[in-house]
Amino acid sequence: MSLEEIDTNVTTFPQSSYQCQTLMTLKQGPCSSDLPDLSSLTLLTTMELTDVWLPDCDFFPRCLVLENLSIIDCQSLTTLKISAPRFVRLIISNYRSFKKNRNGKFVRTAPNDGKIVIAAPRLKFFNLKKLDPLVLSMDDCPTLEKVDISMSQPFCQKIGDKKQTFILDMFHMIEGIFHVKSLRISLNFVKEKFIMCCNNVDEETKIVVLNKEIREEQLVGLATILEEI
């Protein structure tokens, strides 16, 4: 079989298809079964997983030439580990972390309880969006150049909580990646949008608050954003 690309939303896919050594692109999901062993896909460079339960293990190192990975609407237990020697671009969107409660049932983890661990020595571009604040570990990503984070205030946040608390949680989450050349954070709230852009090439940091009702932008300092905490 000389198949080079699979793009399917079939919930159960023949295991034999994952043994095709010529496959270069895999787009899978939603999927009702666990991901199979992909170590036979020696030429796989691009993978997109949608609504898939990810194994509670370090899964991706088996894909030795994988360069582009998109994880969309996927779930896993508490810690998601992502590593591969040739990762260049990584997108994580609407990822949900679960844990087992006392009754053995899976429940969503609270904000800041989930964890994503990324080890990718060649990773350059990272896009993170639509998820609650969590612990983000990216210690082994020395070539990271551009990070784009876009999130909304979590629905589970209490009504009385200040948006500054959520912003501070976000800063704690990304405190290990301020070394990147370009960092953009966009936080959507009901009436306004918070945008921070950091450029380490010219050592410039700009923070803008957009009032959605009157479509007015205001340039502010970080101290102003956090002073109400």
Side-chain angles (χ1 to χ4, degrees):
M1 182 183 293
S2 59
L3 185 66
E4 293 186 359
E5 180 174 348
I6 294 178
D7 186 346
T8 179
N9 60 2
V10 177
T11 56
T12 303
F13 209 67
Q15 295 289 321
S16 59
S17 300
Y18 299 105
Q19 306 300 317
C20 179
Q21 297 185 4
T22 59
L23 192 66
M24 300 177 66
T25 300
L26 173 63
K27 297 181 180 180
Q28 174 77 56
C31 185
S32 59
S33 58
D34 292 339
L35 282 174
D37 183 0
L38 302 180
S39 58
S40 297
L41 304 180
T42 56
L43 297 182
L44 187 67
T45 59
T46 299
M47 184 189 303
E48 181 179 298
L49 302 175
T50 303
D51 195 8
V52 172
W53 181 267
L54 300 172
D56 189 28
C57 62
D58 207 351
F59 177 79
F60 298 101
R62 306 173 196 173
C63 308
L64 296 179
V65 298
L66 186 63
E67 296 181 352
N68 306 293
L69 174 64
S70 297
I71 297 176
I72 304 168
D73 298 329
C74 292
Q75 313 88 35
S76 77
L77 285 175
T78 310
T79 300
L80 174 62
K81 297 179 181 179
I82 303 174
S83 64
R86 295 195 178 184
F87 265 163
V88 175
R89 185 180 301 271
L90 174 62
I91 298 174
I92 301 177
S93 177
N94 200 28
Y95 162 73
R96 299 179 297 281
S97 175
F98 286 80
K99 64 179 180 180
K100 283 187 177 181
N101 63 14
R102 295 179 179 178
N103 298 322
K105 294 183 178 180
F106 291 111
V107 295
R108 286 282 299 272
T109 57
N112 298 310
D113 284 348
K115 185 175 184 179
I116 297 178
V117 178
I118 302 172
R122 296 189 182 184
L123 183 65
K124 291 186 176 182
F125 307 103
F126 179 39
N127 191 325
L128 186 67
K129 51 189 176 181
K130 295 182 181 179
L131 74 165
D132 290 343
L134 43 70
V135 178
L136 181 62
S137 175
M138 300 186 69
D139 295 336
D140 192 14
C141 300
T143 63
L144 194 60
E145 293 184 1
K146 184 176 182 180
V147 176
D148 193 342
I149 298 175
S150 177
M151 298 187 183
S152 298
Q153 191 171 12
F155 291 109
C156 58
Q157 195 169 20
K158 296 178 181 178
I159 296 177
D161 288 350
K162 300 177 181 179
K163 67 177 184 295
Q164 284 84 0
T165 302
F166 177 59
I167 293 173
L168 186 59
D169 286 342
M170 293 298 305
F171 275 105
H172 287 321
M173 187 181 84
I174 62 170
E175 60 185 5
I177 58 175
F178 275 101
H179 65 282
V180 301
K181 292 181 180 179
S182 175
L183 172 62
R184 185 180 190 275
I185 303 172
S186 175
L187 302 179
N188 275 299
F189 300 99
V190 176
K191 296 183 179 180
E192 60 187 9
K193 186 174 184 178
F194 167 89
I195 303 170
M196 185 184 78
C197 298
C198 297
N199 189 328
N200 284 328
V201 176
D202 54 17
E203 298 183 349
E204 180 183 16
T205 298
K206 182 173 69 173
I207 300 176
V208 173
V209 175
L210 170 64
N211 187 311
K212 295 181 179 179
E213 295 179 334
I214 60 176
R215 305 301 299 176
E216 181 179 271
E217 291 186 358
Q218 180 183 6
L219 189 65
V220 298
L222 181 58
T224 302
I225 292 293
L226 301 178
E227 65 183 1
E228 298 180 16
I229 295 177

